[in-house]
Structures are given as structure tokens and as C-alpha cells.
Amino acid sequence: DTGVSQDPRHKITKRGQNVTFRCDPISEHNRLYWYRQTLGQGPEFLTYFQNEAQLEKSRLLSDRFSAERPKGSFSTLEIQRTEQGDSAMYLCASSFPGEVADGYTFGSGTRLTVV
Amino acid sequence: AQSVAQPEDQVNVAEGNPLTVKCTYSVSGNPYLFWYVQYPNRGLQFLLKYITGDNLVKGSYGFEAEFNKSQTSFHLKKPSALVSDSALYFCAVRDRGGATNKLIFGTGTLLAVQP
């Protein structure tokens, strides 16, 4: 297990289409995070899973966005009816449990372009 | 609300010279602070963190950061810059408002090291 894997690396889609991204965290990490990064900005928190439970969702996560983490392993992020404003890098990160936040391990991200 | 600010969009430095990338924070209570680096089309890589203890924190690739409580700063430093240090650097603070341990990132500083 060499790190956090994200698939696909790049996705170009037409406006209005649905897209789904996958994240495979480090196997012993029970915490999983999704972030969105737009050009010139730092990553913005979208949602958090502890095992299979989705414990927090940002207000950035509109009704068109849904995330799942069945069985507490991999996670998927789906965007329905994509809009041009959804174009961004979507980053997944995972971390160990514990009181103190260790540094996350990030995946390389999925770059979404909506045309 | 917890936040960090990176006042410089870009820092230019000649190879071999010392570098500083600035970060200030605004938190209630004791902060947990982090620095990450991002290379083009890649995810973020953890550099170092401050949780408690010594104000000078040493991290990966020869980087260090100085926590200054009176100035609410956590500047990233390196004694001698390398061209390969050229990348986007993000300061982050752990959100103390919940149990998610999510990180709140600054807008990033592009470090350009000239040969």
C-alpha cells in the first residue's frame, strides 16, 4: 500500500453530465476527507468520513454532490448535472485516528474540467 | 472561526539564499499548524507540523518553521534554497470546532527559486 490513490487523474465532461471519482485511502487509515481546490486557492474542505460514517459535510457540498464510503474502505464522490463552476482539482486525503491531527496523506487528485 | 493567511502570492529567491514563506493564524486556543507543499498536478505533501513544545519545528527536505505566539505567525524557512524547492506552499490550521480534525488551508504561496 503505497499511498492514497485517486481515479481518474483527469476528467473532461460536458455540462450537465454526471461524474464519479474514486479514492482508495491507505488501508489502516479510518479517516477520509474530500477537498476541492480551484486555481489560485487553497484546498477547501468538502466532507469527512470516519470509517463508513459521513460525519461532516461542508456547505460547499450542494445537493448535486454526494459522497459514499461503503464498508469504510474506498470512497466515491459523485457530481450530478455538472456545471462549469465545478471545474477544479478534487483531492482525497486520509489519516490515522487519534486525538492529535497528524499530517494527512493526500492523493494526487482528480482534475475535473467541465466544458 | 479558525483561519490562516499567507500574505504573499509569490516569493522569489536565488538558489543558495535563505528563504522565508510567511503564514499568520487566527485561532481560539492553542493552534495546531501545518505546512504542505504541492508540485504541479500533484497532491499536497506534508512538510511539518506544530502541536506543542519547541517553537522551532524541523521537517522534511531541510525545511523548518518557527511558531511565534505573540505575533501569531508560523513562517516556513530554509537556510539555503534549491531550484527543486520551487513549488506551491500551503499553511494550514486544524479546525478545533468539531471532531473531524479537518484542516483549513491558506491560499498558498508560490516559491520560485532562480538558479
Side-chain angles (χ1 to χ4, degrees), chain B residues 13-14 16 21 25-26 34 38 42 49 53 61-62 68 75 90-91 95 97 115:
Chain B
V13 64
V21 182
Y25 65 87
S26 174
F34 301 79
Q38 185 176 35
R42 301 294 300 276
K49 66 181 178 184
Y61 313 121
N68 188 317
H75 300 333
F90 290 97
C91 180
D95 182 19

Side-chain angles (χ1 to χ4, degrees), chain A residues 9 31 33 35 37 40 42-43 45 48 56 91 98-104 106-108, chain B residues 32 34 36 38 41-44 46 49 51 88 90 94 99-103 105-107:
Chain A
R9 292 292 305 274
R31 294 172 180 257
Y33 305 80
Y35 280 78
Q37 184 180 15
F45 170 77
Y48 162 71
E56 186 173 344
L91 295 165
E99 181 64 27
V100 175
D102 282 323
Y104 296 169
F106 278 89
S108 295
Chain B
Y32 293 172
F34 301 79
Y36 284 81
Q38 185 176 35
N41 297 313
R42 301 294 300 276
L44 280 71
F46 172 74
K49 66 181 178 184
I51 304 298
L88 192 55
F90 290 97
R94 192 188 98 170
T100 65
N101 283 351
K102 68 176 182 281
L103 296 182
F105 288 87
T107 52

Side-chain angles (χ1 to χ4, degrees), chain A:
Chain A
D1 194 335
T2 56
V4 179
S5 299
Q6 290 190 247
D7 185 69
R9 292 292 305 274
H10 304 275
K11 178 72 177 178
I12 300 174
T13 190
K14 292 184 178 180
R15 189 174 53 186
Q17 297 294 303
N18 299 344
V19 295
T20 300
F21 312 140
R22 178 180 170 122
C23 171
D24 287 90
I26 293 173
S27 57
E28 58 266 32
H29 287 183
N30 74 336
R31 294 172 180 257
L32 187 147
Y33 305 80
W34 284 99
Y35 280 78
R36 181 173 69 186
Q37 184 180 15
T38 54
L39 203 60
Q41 298 295 319
E44 297 171 295
F45 170 77
L46 291 179
T47 191
Y48 162 71
F49 289 87
Q50 184 167 311
N51 300 310
E52 66 276 10
Q54 187 175 21
L55 298 185
E56 186 173 344
K57 291 167 57 174
S58 163
R59 281 172 287 182
L60 292 175
L61 217 63
S62 75
D63 292 345
R64 297 184 296 105
F65 288 70
S66 62
E68 295 182 342
R69 193 183 182 196
K71 303 178 183 178
S73 56
F74 72 91
S75 176
T76 58
L77 178 67
E78 181 184 15
I79 309 175
Q80 296 181 328
R81 304 181 304 282
T82 53
E83 302 173 355
Q84 288 188 321
D86 297 331
S87 296
M89 174 80 89
Y90 290 84
L91 295 165
C92 176
S94 67
S95 73
F96 280 111
E99 181 64 27
V100 175
D102 282 323
Y104 296 169
T105 301
F106 278 89
S108 295
T110 294
R111 182 168 294 284
L112 173 67
T113 303
V114 181
V115 296

Side-chain angles (χ1 to χ4, degrees), chain B residues 19-23 25 33-36 46-69 73-79 89-92:
Chain B
L19 69 87
T20 298
V21 182
K22 295 179 180 178
C23 173
Y25 65 87
L33 296 161
F34 301 79
W35 276 101
Y36 284 81
F46 172 74
L47 279 179
L48 51 79
K49 66 181 178 184
Y50 172 82
I51 304 298
T52 187
D54 195 347
N55 288 344
L56 186 64
V57 179
K58 294 190 182 297
S60 306
Y61 313 121
F63 284 93
E64 58 189 26
E66 186 171 8
F67 172 70
N68 188 317
K69 189 171 184 178
S73 67
F74 188 56
H75 300 333
L76 182 70
K77 300 181 180 184
K78 188 173 182 181
Y89 290 81
F90 290 97
C91 180

